[in-house]
């Protein structure tokens, strides 16, 4: 019969980008803007600084300190440093853009570091040299209707390599064909069209393997991130909901098959919705659904059964018997229905249908995992709930719907992956760090605005927001109260009013590629390792920490402004920082999952990143210097005092000293108040006196025994100890250095592990050599060890002593840990640290951030000692059932 | 009243006909009615003896539809018939039948009080799924040429082998859609369903086209061209096929997807095109979900019933194509001539009309069930009535 050909109904959708978004969004704002130019460190500052995680141990390029290094295996074919690959996914309504920029701040030449590396063979140590460059992946959206904005963006950022004739850009999506000429004409670039399905799958595979918490479930308004086991990823069903829906069975990299689909997809929702409601944008339509009550449009089981359930077949009265079925039996016109109700009914119908077809298809193929992606979902809670509910309902709980944070960017990312030799495939999860720049809380996942040129524009942007009176404390609109008749097939019972509007989407940050990061090799089980001790999924916990951070903010701003000379400019930047960080907090308070899985460590790191974003590279610089000097001044006396003790007593005194000195912590409000009451050495001594054993957690006896002071036959001394240090000043100088000295004296090599970038008053790996050098002036043990460890080679002291007199050849070394946060995630440490760790058999973690907030429960392959004073009442109660200023000395032999 | 032809037929039937064994399926949108009409003038001999427990009745099964929203028409109809025949009921049928009616569908619960109040009739509620199944089983086993496939505009009647009937998937498309796996008489399970059904077609259609009736909407869809409003593969790929995954440029990528791009108002679309697009969307979706469920249980036969289909060629065609496409020709969609009346027929079979295999009588050649030649659904039959 005629018409049969186009009657291939079945057919559906392919397109991964929906035509939803004729978004006349006023908030046309920059979101994932990176402003690298602003990030150039102040001239004349020798300290390696960065707007991001440092480029620690780059490939050959970094080692030779050569900016022009062009390794043939390198990602970028071009010569320029900060230029990038660009890939596009041009859909019917949205253009998704993924581009790569290189770190501008890599490879500051650093002789000290070099020599350390050379000495210990760290450089190329473990692995092949990195075929991938460190850099950042940016994710940006534009409306297809405003394609000129996209062209301008590309042009202004010079993403298209205008200096190269006929540069090629990878592109996918239907628009890659449609707009090929436009790109040629305006930018002089040729679009290299990539297969859409290929791109989707490549993008999804990359995200699922490379991003730790990419996938999440969404039930009753609650998101839960799922850690995917890379070895058990395939097969999975990828449901891409664009205008239509494609169901793709994925069996591996490049191995996939489109097994099904449906033509009832996002285009149907938006198309029908537009006709029925006169909405002007997809988002408007979604927003409407929030306030809808579908029971006025849908025929429910209760409508048919007179309010009764049809429980025999498991249908409750609120089950939808017929979508839009009620629109037939009443003599109403379309105008008589609320657009809100129509939108909700439509949304439920389509989401539910997609869920059902996906489940049935997965069942048929025997697939357990179903991931949903595509722009239809756009982080909309209700859509996800409905789909989840459908899957759960039909599978009777046997299957779960999972969603992807980067859902809209699968195609663009896949196109990006298709560049040859990009090396992205090889990236491991620990080599990626996601950052959320200042615009994130405002823009959510929305359309990109004009690119911001420099720091000044960025600050103006923040200021503008305040002027406009946009509520900084709640950038995300609050939910309307729950209406009746909500739910999936049956109403998924939302927790009270918890069903809030999050159409502003989950945020997608800038993905920093740091190939030099590695998993700390001494972790007993990296798979089960969870750095965060405090679970911020608990709303009370979350609120508490948000309050702590908010209250601390004015003080931090003052410090930061002072560190930059207290100028008007610094004040202006400080205020902008405060606004930006407050907005982050508000956004996260509103939607804790907005930036992915949230732990306290992430929150603290976010703060540091935010400071750097506004060019505050070291807010505590002066304080740190002052305290270091003061502490170094009293160190010789302390060492004399220590040396007068017996070895056994000394060990206890040293541990007491570490705990006592840990009181000097600018991250703790309680301690900051203390500082006004006395000099450093007074506080230190007072603090140490209070160190009455038993401590709240006290494994000192076990540690002492291991150190050879017990009744048992002494174990061999440790070969190498890693000391993760915390604060500057007394903490490191009077606490950790003497302990290090003791270990050295016993013939144990010591590696001081410190932050790569400043965070609060934490001592950094850049600062440590000078501190050690200063301390070494008064101590032969330290001097010899520092020399042996290569620390004094270019430290600015002139050793007048004869080098041959050195008392110890046991080296003292310093390595950076690869991060710039008060906490540490041992899944992502510098390759330098990873290399030295391989020889180590003792790990000492010191301070709240590294030993309590994170890693308190971490298990190591070697002996581990966790030392900290708890300077927070709530944490003390929660973690050790104790009180503020209680001490923790947790010793765990190798597991 | 929805089914004008039948009504005329009925009205024109002899006033001497005796109506009995009325059964109702009161759905969300429509009331389906089945009753037996026996002609008093030519009574079957055996039934003359009212004392006999075995009355063999010959007569016709009539099928009627009302809109649920106009339930009063239905009540009036029953009322008029009852009044008319009240005086003669001693002549063959137990009086109690007039006070109790077998009924199924949600409305059997919802409107029970109404029937009691207005007509003094109690509704004896029969399980809905059970009714659908027994109605379908009855039709498939007892009525020749009940099932047919629809291919290229042609109805091909299928000879159903009674011994190889089970299991099958019964897809009842009413306001919503129920999918029932049937393993035998009374042996069945509702395995799936979807809320996107006939009610959706009509409801959305009404909102979008101002169409006054379901049949008008169906008729309009016949004239329409869905390409105007559906986004086709070719619309995305600039007229090209997406061969790699086997999608032709005329395949629908997104139902109503073009409405997004066009920036047109609803009024600028022809209602015919909208109706066509809607019909395809829903028919195809039902076909797809039905196929997936058949596959899941390894069912080869899928029977589609319910009022949504109404013998509408384009609907059946779309469903058939969907099943064929997804099953790669493995499964066949089959339709039933009495598609809309499965539930009502099922309720009808619930009368203790016949105790032991009621309609086997009709299987023997002496009293075959004869399809009404005019194809208005009336079934000639003989049933054994046990009082």
């Amino acid at each position: 019969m005629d018409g049969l050909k186009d009657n291939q109904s079945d057919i559906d959708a392919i397109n991964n980008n929906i035509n939803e978004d004729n978004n006349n969004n006023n908030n046309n704002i920059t979101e994932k803007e990176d402003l690298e130019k602003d990030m150039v460190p102040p001239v004349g500052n020798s300290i390696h600084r960065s707007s991001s995680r440092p480029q620690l141990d780059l490939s050959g390029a970094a080692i030779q300190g050569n900016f022009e290094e062009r390794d043939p295996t390198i990602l970028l074919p071009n010569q320029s440093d900060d230029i990038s690959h660009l890939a596009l996914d041009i859909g019917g309504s949205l253009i998704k853009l993924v581009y790569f920029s290189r770190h501008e701040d890599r490879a500051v030449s650093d002789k000290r570091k070099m020599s350390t590396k050379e000495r210990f063979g760290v450089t190329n140590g473990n692995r092949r040299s990195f075929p991938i460059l460190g850099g950042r992946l940016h994710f940006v959206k534009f409306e297809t209707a405003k394609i000129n904005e996209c062209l301008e963006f590309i042009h202004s950022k010079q993403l298209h390599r205008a200096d190269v004739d006929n540069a090629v850009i990878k592109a996918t999506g239907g628009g890659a064909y449609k707009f090929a000429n436009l790109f040629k004409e305006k930018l002089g670039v040729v679009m290299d069209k990539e297969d859409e399905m290929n791109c989707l799958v490549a993008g999804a595979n990359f995200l699922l393997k490379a991003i730790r918490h990419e996938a999440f479930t969404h039930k009753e308004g609650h998101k839960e991130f799922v850690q995917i086991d890379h070895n058990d990823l395939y097969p999975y069903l990828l449901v891409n909901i664009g205008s239509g829906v494609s169901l793709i069975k994925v069996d591996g990299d490049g191995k996939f098959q489109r097994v099904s689909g449906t033509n009832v997809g996002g285009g149907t929702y938006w198309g029908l919705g537009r006709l029925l409601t006169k909405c002007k944008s997809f988002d408007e339509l979604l927003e409407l659904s929030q306030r809808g009550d579908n029971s006025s449009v849908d025929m429910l089981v209760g409508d048919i059964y007179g309010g009764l359930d049809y429980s025999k077949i498991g249908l409750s009265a609120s089950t939808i018997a017929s979508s839009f079925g009620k629109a037939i039996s009443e003599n109403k016109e379309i105008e008589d229905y609320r657009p809100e109700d129509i939108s909700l009914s439509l949304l439920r119908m389509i989401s539910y249908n997609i869920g059902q077809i996906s489940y049935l298809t997965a069942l048929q193929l025997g697939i357990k995992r179903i991931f949903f992606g595509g722009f239809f979902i756009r982080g909309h809670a209700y859509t996800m709930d409905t789909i989840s509910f459908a899957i759960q309902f039909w599978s009777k709980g046997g299957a779960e719907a999972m969603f992807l944070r980067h859902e809209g960017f699968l195609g663009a990312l896949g196109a990006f992956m298709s560049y040859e030799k990009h090396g992205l495939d090889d990236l491991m999860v620990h080599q990626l760090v996601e950052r959320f720049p200042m615009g994130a809380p405002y823009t959510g996942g929305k359309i990109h605005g004009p690119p911001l040129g420099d720091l000044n524009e960025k600050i103006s942007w923040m200021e503008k927001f305040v002027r406009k009176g946009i509520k900084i404390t709640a950038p995300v609109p609050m939910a309307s109260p729950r209406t009746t008749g909500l739910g999936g097939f049956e109403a998924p019972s939302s927790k009270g009013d918890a069903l809030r509007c999050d159409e502003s989407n989950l945020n997608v940050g800038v993905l920093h590629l740091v190939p030099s990061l590695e998993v700390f090799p001494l972790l007993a089980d990296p798979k089960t390792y969870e750095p965060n001790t405090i679970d911020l999924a608990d709303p009370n916990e979350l609120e508490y920490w948000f309050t702590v951070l908010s209250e601390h903010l004015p003080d931090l701003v003052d410090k930061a402004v002072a560190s930059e000379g207290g100028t008007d400019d610094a004040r202006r930047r400080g205020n902008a920082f405060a606004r930006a960080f407050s907005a982050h907090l508000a956004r996260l308070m509103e939607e804790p999952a907005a930036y992915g899985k949230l732990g306290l460590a992430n929150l603290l790191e976010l703060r540091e990143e935010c400071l750097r974003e506004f060019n505050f590279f070291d807010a505590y610089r002066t304080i740190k210097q002052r305290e270091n000097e003061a502490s170094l001044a009293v160190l010789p006396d302390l060492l004399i005092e220590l040396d007068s003790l017996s070895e056994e007593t000394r060990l206890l005194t040293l541990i007491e000293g570490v705990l006592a000195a840990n009181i000097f912590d600018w991250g703790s409000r309680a301690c900051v108040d203390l500082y006004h009451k006395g000099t450093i050495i007074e506080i230190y001594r007072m603090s140490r006196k209070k160190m009455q054993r038993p401590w709240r957690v006290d494994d000192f006896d076990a540690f002492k025994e291991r150190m050879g002071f017990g009744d048992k036959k002494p174990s061999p001394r440790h070969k190498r100890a890693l000391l993760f240090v915390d604060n500057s000043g007394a903490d490191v100088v009077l606490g950790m250095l003497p302990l290090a000295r003791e270990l050295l004296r016993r013939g144990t090599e010591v590696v001081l592990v410190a932050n790569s970038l400043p965070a609060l008053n934490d001592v950094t790996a850049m600062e440590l050599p000078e501190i050690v050098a200063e301390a070494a002036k008064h101590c032969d043990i330290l001097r010899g060890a520092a020399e042996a460890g290569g620390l004094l080679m270019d430290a600015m002291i002139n050793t007048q002593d004869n080098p041959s007199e050195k008392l110890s050849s046991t080296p003292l070394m310093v390595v950076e840990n690869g991060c710039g946060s008060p906490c540490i995630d041992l899944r992502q440490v510098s390759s330098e640290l990873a290399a030295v760790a391989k020889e180590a058999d003792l790990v000492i973690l010191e301070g709240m951030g590294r030993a309590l907030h994170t890693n308190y429960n971490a298990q190591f392959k070697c002996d581990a000692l966790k030392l900290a004073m708890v300077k927070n009442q709530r944490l003390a109660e929660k973690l050790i059932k104790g009180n503020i200023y209680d001490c923790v000395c947790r010793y765990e032999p190798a597991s | 009243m929805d089914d004008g032809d039948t009504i005329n037929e009925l009205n024109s039937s002899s006033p001497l006909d005796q109506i009995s064994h009325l059964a109702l399926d009161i759905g969300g949108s429509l009331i389906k009615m089945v009753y037996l009409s026996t002609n008093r003038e030519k009574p079957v001999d055996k039934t003359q003896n009212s004392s006999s427990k075995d009355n063999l009745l010959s007569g016709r099964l009539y099928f009627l539809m009302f809109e649920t929203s106009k339930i009063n028409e239905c009540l009036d109809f029953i009322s008029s018939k009852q009044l008319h025949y009240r005086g003669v009921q001693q002549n063959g049928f137990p009086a109690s039948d007039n006070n109790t009616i077998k009924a199924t569908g949600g409305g059997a619960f919802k409107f029970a009080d109404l029937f009691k109040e207005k007509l003094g009739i109690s509704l004896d509620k029969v399980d809905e799924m059970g009714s659908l199944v027994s109605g379908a089983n009855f039709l498939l086993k007892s009525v020749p040429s009940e099932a047919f496939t629809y291919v290229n505009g042609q109805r091909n009647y299928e000879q159903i082998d009674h011994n190889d009937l089970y299991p099958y998937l019964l897809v009842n498309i009413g306001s919503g859609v129920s999918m029932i796996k049937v393993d035998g008489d009374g042996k069945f399970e509702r395995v799936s369903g979807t809320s996107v059904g006939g009610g959706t077609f009509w409801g959305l259609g009404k909102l979008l086209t101002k169409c006054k009736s379901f049949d008008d909407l169906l008729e309009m869809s016949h004239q329409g061209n869905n390409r105007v409003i559906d986004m086709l593969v070719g619309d995305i790929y600039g007229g090209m096929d997406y061969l790699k995954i086997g999608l032709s440029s005329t395949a629908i990528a997104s139902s109503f997807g073009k409405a997004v791009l066009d920036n047109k108002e609803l009024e600028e679309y022809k209602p015919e095109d909208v109706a066509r697009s809607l019909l395809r969307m829903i028919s195809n979706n039902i076909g797809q979900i039905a196929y997936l469920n058949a596959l899941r249980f390894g069912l080869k036969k899928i029977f589609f019933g319910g009022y949504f289909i109404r013998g509408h060629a384009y609907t059946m065609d779309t469903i058939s194509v969907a099943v064929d496409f997804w099953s790669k020709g493995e499964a066949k969609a089959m339709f039933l001539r009495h598609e809309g009346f499965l539930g009502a027929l099922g309720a009808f079979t619930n009368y203790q009309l016949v105790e032991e295999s009621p309609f086997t009588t009709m299987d023997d050649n002496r009293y075959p069930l004869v399809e009404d030649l005019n194809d208005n659904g009336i079934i000639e039959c003989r049933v054994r009535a046990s009082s």
Side-chain angles (χ1 to χ4, degrees), chain A residues 388-419:
Chain A
S388 297
F389 191 84
I391 300 279
Q392 197 173 352
F393 179 87
W394 290 112
S395 72
K396 297 184 174 72
E400 260 186 340
M402 288 187 272
F403 303 90
L404 301 174
R405 285 186 49 235
H406 291 81
E407 59 188 10
F409 289 99
L410 299 186
L413 198 52
F416 185 83
M417 306 275 298
S418 69
Y419 282 109

Side-chain angles (χ1 to χ4, degrees), chain A residues 250-315:
Chain A
V250 182
D251 290 306
D253 278 331
K255 288 168 64 183
F256 64 90
Q257 188 191 357
R258 182 182 188 277
V259 289
S260 193
T262 161
N263 48 312
V264 186
T268 312
Y269 174 60
W270 175 206
L272 271 174
R274 220 186 132 260
L275 295 179
L276 291 165
T277 67
K278 317 276 181 224
C279 271
K280 291 282 175 269
S281 78
F282 183 86
D283 285 322
E284 190 187 340
L285 186 65
L286 264 183
E287 167 79 34
L288 274 185
S289 73
Q290 298 288 331
R291 302 188 297 274
D293 173 2
N294 69 303
S295 68
S296 68
V297 183
D298 289 345
M299 183 183 292
L300 307 183
V301 166
D303 293 326
I304 303 176
Y305 281 81
L308 302 173
D309 291 357
Y310 188 11
S311 50
K312 187 176 168 187
I313 54 171
L315 299 180

Side-chain angles (χ1 to χ4, degrees), chain A residues 1 4-15 19-20 22 92 174 177 195-198 243-245 256 258-264 267-268 270-272 274-276 278 280 299 303-306 308 310 312-313 315 320-325 327-331 333-335 337 342 346 349 353 356-357 359-361 363-364 394 489, chain B residues 26-29 69 105-107 109-110 127-129 152-153 175-177 190-196 199-200 202-204 206-208 210 212 226-227 229 231 233 236-237 240 242 244-245 247 250-257 259-261 263-267 269 280-281 284-285 288-289 291-293 295-296 314 317-318 321-322 325-326:
Chain A
M1 74 172 256
L4 244 182
K5 268 198 180 158
D6 69 75
N7 206 358
Q8 305 288 1
S9 337
D10 26 75
I11 344 298
D12 18 295
I14 321 157
N15 190 357
N19 304 291
E20 341 93 307
N22 297 329
Y177 297 84
D195 176 74
E196 196 152 349
M197 293 283 156
N198 270 337
S243 296
V245 183
F256 64 90
R258 182 182 188 277
V259 289
S260 193
T262 161
N263 48 312
V264 186
T268 312
W270 175 206
L272 271 174
R274 220 186 132 260
L275 295 179
L276 291 165
K278 317 276 181 224
K280 291 282 175 269
M299 183 183 292
D303 293 326
I304 303 176
Y305 281 81
L308 302 173
Y310 188 11
K312 187 176 168 187
I313 54 171
L315 299 180
I320 301 177
S322 174
S323 293
F324 288 90
I328 68 175
S329 46
E330 297 166 32
N331 287 320
E333 297 296 311
I334 187 166
E335 292 75 21
Y337 294 95
I342 289 175
L346 210 48
M349 175 178 99
N353 197 60
Q356 183 174 17
I357 290 177
Y359 163 67
L360 286 169
T361 304
L363 188 71
Q364 173 199 340
W394 290 112
F489 188 59
Chain B
I26 312 178
S29 322
S69 57
F109 295 86
K110 190 174 178 180
D127 175 66
E128 188 169 351
M129 294 300 141
N152 296 333
S175 297
V177 182
R190 183 184 191 272
V191 291
S192 195
T194 163
S195 66
V196 187
T200 313
W202 191 356
L204 270 176
K206 205 170 171 191
L207 295 179
L208 290 164
K210 322 260 187 238
K212 289 297 175 222
N226 70 295
R227 295 188 192 189
I229 194 158
M231 184 188 288
V233 169
I236 301 174
Y237 284 87
M240 282 179 278
Y242 192 12
K244 193 179 169 192
I245 52 171
L247 297 180
T250 54
I252 300 178
S254 174
S255 289
F256 289 90
V260 173
L261 303 174
N263 217 18
K264 282 200 241 174
E265 297 298 313
L266 179 56
E267 294 71 26
Y269 291 101
R280 280 192 63 166
M281 177 180 99
N284 176 55
N285 194 61
Q288 182 177 11
I289 292 177
Y291 160 70
L292 285 169
N293 278 294
L295 189 71
R296 178 180 164 198
Y314 193 64
D317 197 47
T318 311
V321 168
F325 176 89
W326 289 112

